[in-house]
Amino acid sequence: MGTPFAAPPVHARIVEALERIATALRADDWVRARSAGVNPTQLAILRLLDGRGPGWTVKELSLQLGVSQPTATDSILALERKALIEKRTDPVDGRAVRIVITGAGRAVVRAGGEAAGAVDRATAALDDDDQEQLLVQLVSVIRQLQEQGAIPIQRMCVSCPYFRPYAHADAAKPHHCNFVDAAFGQQDLRIDCRDHETADPSVRAATWGEFHKDHHPPGG
Ligand code: SF4
């Protein structure tokens, strides 16, 4: 009699799957960064800074990247030498220094974003419904990581005070963004929105409750 088939728990196999995808993403990052003349950490910093007018402090950048402040500092110094970022005194706190991207830095972001990587192609190959479902499930995982304090609050709709989940009866566009005063669908949920603001914890919890309740209706 053979050994009964016993797979690891589903959540453990999801992590295994995410690890495979992370490996492919790292390879994609190297290709993109090399084509832009920087390394992956430097390209990640430039992407984080792109479109963020007031810039970020070294501490904020290191938190977003999940690296130590000395590691972030090394990359920032290299980017400064290449004139891709610059340091400015914080207009509110004269002792603080903020890192901002330069025009040359933005050009590098554009250059690094042009090549579609293997993970881009793999996700684009899914049909529209599968892409939408995967997006919503990944938003759920990212939110869990935020609530555990494993990562900073990301600029997603579900943590934004402008987000009104299921404000409309239209199944194609049930959500509403108060910032642009427009309805939008699940497939338009943002992961990194430039207009995002961080809602208070109580508002985030209530918004998630509304979003999750209607996404998983009783008996659904
Ligand atoms: S401002 Fe951006 S993050 Fe906030 S609800 Fe609108 S689209 Fe979503």
Side-chain angles (χ1 to χ4, degrees):
M1 194 178 205
T3 305
F5 177 78
V10 174
H11 65 84
R13 278 174 284 137
I14 291 172
V15 172
E16 288 175 349
L18 291 173
E19 285 171 351
R20 304 303 181 272
I21 295 169
T23 300
L25 279 171
R26 279 194 294 274
D28 286 349
D29 279 348
W30 269 110
V31 172
R32 288 202 187 96
R34 239 192 324 257
S35 72
V38 292
N39 69 32
T41 304
Q42 292 167 5
L43 184 57
I45 289 174
L46 292 174
R47 282 180 173 157
L48 283 170
L49 292 172
D50 190 24
R52 289 162 172 91
W56 267 339
T57 64
V58 174
K59 183 178 179 186
E60 288 167 338
L61 277 170
S62 63
L63 282 172
Q64 289 289 332
L65 290 167
V67 301
S68 68
Q69 286 193 47
T71 299
T73 299
D74 287 347
S75 296
I76 288 163
L77 288 173
L79 289 169
E80 193 177 20
R81 283 194 294 273
K82 295 175 186 175
L84 302 178
I85 56 114
E86 59 189 28
K87 294 175 181 160
R88 290 189 192 155
T89 304
D90 188 307
V92 178
D93 177 359
R95 291 166 305 171
V97 172
R98 304 194 78 82
I99 316 296
V100 295
I101 192 168
T102 63
R106 283 198 191 86
V108 166
V109 173
R110 302 287 95 80
E114 277 170 10
V119 180
D120 284 290
R121 292 192 294 276
T123 50
L126 301 177
D127 68 31
D128 290 350
D129 284 349
D130 287 348
Q131 287 188 33
E132 182 180 308
Q133 285 181 30
L134 183 57
L135 176 65
V136 172
Q137 298 310 328
L138 290 174
V139 165
S140 297
V141 176
I142 295 168
R143 177 188 165 273
Q144 287 286 348
L145 289 167
Q146 290 176 171
E147 297 307 315
Q148 290 171 23
I151 59 172
I153 298 291
Q154 303 298 303
R155 304 198 307 178
M156 304 195 298
C157 293
V158 294
S159 61
C160 178
Y162 298 119
F163 183 46
R164 295 285 176 269
Y166 297 100
H168 304 285
D170 181 354
K173 291 189 174 183
H175 309 312
H176 196 87
C177 170
N178 279 355
F179 185 82
V180 292
D181 194 20
F184 66 97
Q186 291 280 74
Q187 73 280 5
D188 295 316
L189 286 168
R190 300 293 201 277
I191 302 293
D192 188 26
C193 173
R194 292 181 179 192
D195 302 317
H196 174 274
E197 291 178 21
T198 301
D200 293 338
S202 60
V203 174
R204 291 206 304 270
T207 300
W208 180 256
E210 285 302 306
F211 177 73
H212 195 252
K213 178 184 71 179
D214 282 313
H215 189 60
H216 294 278

